[in-house]
Amino acid sequence: MDAAERSRRTGPRELSVEVTTRYRVMRRLDILVVRLLFEIRVEGRERWPAPPFCLVLNHHNGWDPMLALAALPEIPRVTWFGPKEADFSRGFRNRAMAFYGGMIPYNPQKTTLTSAVRAVRRVFASSGVLGIFAEGRVGFRETDLLPFEEGAVAFAAASGVPIVPCVIVGSTFLWFRKRVTFRYGDPIPTTDVKGREARVELDRRVRAAMQSLLPDHEPRLPRRRPLRFIGDLLTGPADLERRRAELGE
C-alpha cells in the first residue's frame, strides 16, 4: 500500500499549523454553507492567549466540527484530535476530512497512545492550537457535560500549555437559521500540573469552567422548526437513536 492509499485509509496526518491555500478554500466553503444554514455567534474570543494552547469543547451534533471551523478565526489554525474513523477512503464526510487535513485521527485498535502524544507535541512545538471534543462522544444535554476522556488534560499538562474551555450552545437540535453560540472561558494554566492527582484536579477545573458557560435550563423546542432534517444530516444513526431515547423529539 503506497503512502497516498495509506493516508486515505488511516486518516489525515498533516499536522501543519500553516494557513495553506487548501485550508483557506475549505474554510471559506465551510463558512459559506454553515452561515447560510445557521446563525453563528461567538462570545469571549478576546480571552484567547497566544498559542500554543489546547482548545477543549463539548459535543452535541455531527455538525459541531463544521460549526466550530466557521466560528474560529483563520489564524491560528486549529489541529483537531480524535476523529475515530477506521477508513477515510469511504463516505463523503470522511473523504472531506482526509482532503482537509490538519487532524490527528485516533483509533484505539490501530493507533498507539505514544504516537498520538508525539503528534500532539509536534503541534504545540510549532506554536499551534490543538482542538479536542473532551467528552469523546456526542452528549445531548445543553445544561450538562458527559464525563471527559483523559486526552485533553493529559496532552496539555504534558506540554505545559494552557487550556481554553469552550462550550457549544444550541446544536443538539438544529434547523434552518437556528442560532448556535460558542462561548470561551478564561485560559487555565497547566505548567504546575504534575502527577495523576494534579491531572484529576485540572480535569475538575476545566469541567467547572465549561459548566459555568452552559445555560442553566434546557431549551424548549418550538413547534416551527424550518428544514429540521438538515440538523441530523451529519449525525450517525446510533447517536440519533440515543438522542431519541434520552430526550425524545
Side-chain angles (χ1 to χ4, degrees):
M1 184 184 300
D2 62 22
E5 177 63 17
R6 185 165 55 252
S7 175
R8 286 194 297 270
R9 289 190 176 276
T10 61
R13 297 185 181 275
E14 309 100 276
L15 305 181
S16 174
V17 298
E18 180 184 355
V19 179
T20 63
T21 300
R22 177 184 294 188
Y23 174 80
R24 287 193 177 96
V25 170
M26 291 295 289
R27 179 176 176 274
R28 288 171 185 173
L29 286 174
D30 177 88
I31 290 174
L32 179 65
V33 172
V34 167
R35 293 191 179 271
L36 173 67
L37 296 178
F38 312 112
E39 180 185 344
I40 305 298
R41 292 197 174 185
V42 177
E43 300 175 1
R45 169 68 179 81
E46 69 281 357
R47 294 172 171 168
W48 277 26
F53 61 86
C54 184
L55 181 65
V56 179
L57 309 91
N58 61 341
H59 195 9
H60 295 303
N61 193 296
W63 277 95
D64 285 346
M66 293 184 66
L67 296 172
L69 181 60
L72 290 166
E74 185 174 274
I75 300 172
R77 178 178 178 175
V78 176
T79 298
W80 296 94
F81 179 86
K84 297 178 180 177
E85 305 292 344
D87 189 346
F88 279 74
S89 66
R90 299 179 181 180
F92 171 78
R93 186 176 65 170
N94 291 358
R95 289 175 184 270
M97 289 169 68
F99 177 81
Y100 173 72
M103 300 179 187
I104 306 173
Y106 180 69
N107 185 318
Q109 284 73 47
K110 297 178 179 292
T111 310
T112 67
L113 184 59
T114 300
S115 66
V117 170
R118 287 174 179 168
V120 167
R121 284 179 173 171
R122 290 204 302 274
V123 172
F124 292 143
S126 300
S127 294
V129 176
L130 183 76
I132 303 181
F133 291 100
E135 297 158 299
R137 65 173 184 152
V138 178
F140 307 116
R141 299 287 177 183
E142 296 278 349
T143 59
D144 204 2
L145 302 165
L146 296 176
F148 289 173
E149 294 192 350
E150 192 175 2
V153 165
F155 292 148
S159 297
V161 302
I163 292 174
V164 175
C166 173
V167 298
I168 306 172
V169 179
S171 69
T172 296
F173 292 99
L174 291 172
W175 55 86
F176 183 61
R177 302 309 299 163
K178 172 71 182 297
R179 177 184 298 172
V180 179
T181 303
F182 284 75
R183 294 175 179 165
Y184 299 107
D186 292 323
I188 300 172
T190 68
T191 50
D192 296 327
V193 176
K194 308 294 180 185
R196 178 166 181 79
E197 290 186 5
R199 289 197 300 273
V200 170
E201 173 60 18
L202 177 61
D203 182 276
R204 186 198 65 78
R205 291 178 61 197
V206 173
R207 186 179 183 87
M210 293 176 68
Q211 188 71 53
S212 71
L213 298 170
L214 293 173
D216 56 11
H217 63 276
E218 292 292 324
R220 296 182 62 182
L221 296 178
R223 291 185 178 181
R224 183 176 180 274
R225 288 179 278 167
L227 302 180
R228 55 185 291 186
F229 71 91
I230 64 176
D232 297 337
L233 290 177
L234 301 184
T235 301
D239 285 328
L240 290 176
E241 182 61 32
R242 189 161 55 87
R243 188 183 71 185
R244 281 190 288 268
E246 291 183 22
L247 302 182
E249 292 192 55

